Amino acid sequence: MLKMTGRKTKVRWNIAILMWAAIAINYLDRTVLSATTPSLMKEFGLNAGQMGIIMSAFFWSYALFQIPAGWLADRVGQRFSLAFSVAWWSIATALTALSQGMKSLLIFRVLLGVGEAGAYPSNAGVTAKWFPDRERTRVSAIFDSGSKVGTALAMPFVVWLMTSFGWKVPFIVSGLLGLIWVMIWWTYYRDPEKHMYVNKEEIKYIRDGQVKKDGLDKTQPLKWYQLLKYRNIQAMCVGFFMLNYAIYFFITWFPAYLVQERGFELMKMGWVSMIPPLFGLVAELCAGLFSDWLYTKGYSLTFVRKLNLVGGMLLATMIAFAGVVHSPILSIALLSISYAGLTTAACAIWSLPGDVAPRNMTSIVGGLQNCVSNMGGILGPIVTGFIITATNSFIPALIVSGVATLIGALTYLFWLGKVEPIVPKEEIVTNNLSL
């Protein structure tokens, strides 16, 4: 039963904090393998190409299960879908400590990908239900910034655990953190109209500020595969593919780059690797706030989204120059600028599902764009690994990443059209007849 008070509650921001924590844990669990890569390669006798295959194994299952995870979230609700997702991947992370070689590492990484597939589609659906349109970019920036915090804090934390207790302990600790989150989420989360702590004033504020109102019924006007015929969905998928190709260099090969190419010692690597994600964190939060501010000042949604998307992807091209400079400090600076550009684009990318999805299909659209984008996650670690093996250098791999971000900028500039909700032709005809 909704409370009646004169002042609206702020439950939606508590929900935002929980979404942020889920993504932070999500990326902590992903990054554990990256941070422990030098130790795992040494213990199991793996070369760069084999390690690239192990890294990419996560993305195969992660990408494959994006659409089913989005469908499940829209069908049964994000309370269950996100709790199930975090519980699954947390158990898979803890079990990775049992690995005995390449085969078992592959199995546990595949299981991790299946579980983590539900995180972003579920968060996109929660955002569409719980926040008015004018707050969507900053909320997307908040929860996606968890990926930067998870990546940044993971390195020194995991390196400390690994050097103190061995490589297995970081996997176990990360898994336990996720299970604690599940208990909190299951206890606290409900959809807006069903939440025990929300009042009518906040519900009115949320729903009055939404062009489309997800979650009020279960109607879905399209099958998921019918979304692919729409230009904006196509552009979202291709542009995000290019972003993910570049950003997963930081998640997979960046620690090895610092150790092998720039000569950093293990503990120093752990601290230095925090710098680009922290730059990205600040950039994403500022970009989200600035984007929503522009929208409230009357700028069109299309202009606001493209400013972040195109501008961010152009900044991200700095990754191509990071490998060719001689100074390690300048290289880290360029990589930090690149990461900041990627996160500037990312907060708009995770606003787009709520902007363009048909009613009650936000999680499916989020899953669809994330499915295609993570083909970049599959391709990137493998290509990078084999380029390193063939050339004994990271420079060509970084140049390829820079080209990908440039293609992404052009995709969002020219392919992405007007940013507005998709209304199927059948609905338009029905609405016209009713008039």
Side-chain angles (χ1 to χ4, degrees), residues 133 136-137 295 299-306 355 419-420:
D133 296 345
R136 184 174 293 138
T137 314
Y295 185 54
Y299 289 89
S300 71
L301 197 59
T302 302
F303 173 81
V304 169
R305 295 291 183 258
K306 287 197 174 190
D355 295 332
V419 177
E420 60 185 356

Side-chain angles (χ1 to χ4, degrees), residues 234-272:
Q234 297 165 4
M236 287 162 59
C237 291
V238 174
F240 200 3
F241 174 98
M242 298 302 169
L243 181 142
N244 258 8
Y245 184 96
I247 206 165
Y248 278 107
F249 167 79
F250 293 94
I251 298 168
T252 56
W253 282 108
F254 186 45
Y257 169 76
L258 293 176
V259 172
Q260 297 174 17
E261 192 88 353
R262 295 297 178 177
F264 286 94
E265 295 178 355
L266 195 60
M267 199 65 204
K268 188 176 181 181
M269 173 275 288
W271 289 106
V272 172

Side-chain angles (χ1 to χ4, degrees), residues 19-20 22-23 78 82 118-128 143 185 363:
M19 290 194 291
W20 172 87
I23 300 301
Q78 287 79 15
L82 193 51
Y120 273 96
S122 293
N123 272 4
V126 171
T127 301
F143 77 68
W185 174 261
S363 288

Side-chain angles (χ1 to χ4, degrees), residues 22-100:
I23 300 301
I25 295 169
N26 182 296
Y27 271 75
L28 169 63
D29 290 357
R30 294 189 201 189
T31 309
V32 170
L33 183 72
S34 175
T36 57
T37 287
S39 297
L40 291 172
M41 290 176 70
K42 183 178 180 180
E43 177 158 340
F44 298 129
L46 303 171
N47 62 36
Q50 290 173 317
M51 201 66 212
I53 292 172
I54 292 169
M55 289 175 175
S56 72
F58 163 86
F59 298 104
W60 286 101
S61 56
Y62 183 71
L64 182 63
F65 278 84
Q66 285 294 316
I67 296 170
W71 176 88
L72 179 68
D74 283 330
R75 180 64 60 179
V76 305
Q78 287 79 15
R79 179 180 181 237
F80 173 82
S81 66
L82 193 51
F84 181 76
S85 174
V86 179
W88 180 294
W89 90 56
S90 298
I91 293 169
T93 299
L95 290 176
T96 306
L98 301 176
S99 297
Q100 298 296 314

Side-chain angles (χ1 to χ4, degrees), residues 111-138:
L111 291 175
L112 180 70
V114 173
E116 292 206 357
Y120 273 96
S122 293
N123 272 4
V126 171
T127 301
K129 288 179 178 178
W130 266 98
F131 292 87
D133 296 345
R134 60 181 167 273
E135 293 178 352
R136 184 174 293 138
T137 314
R138 80 189 76 167

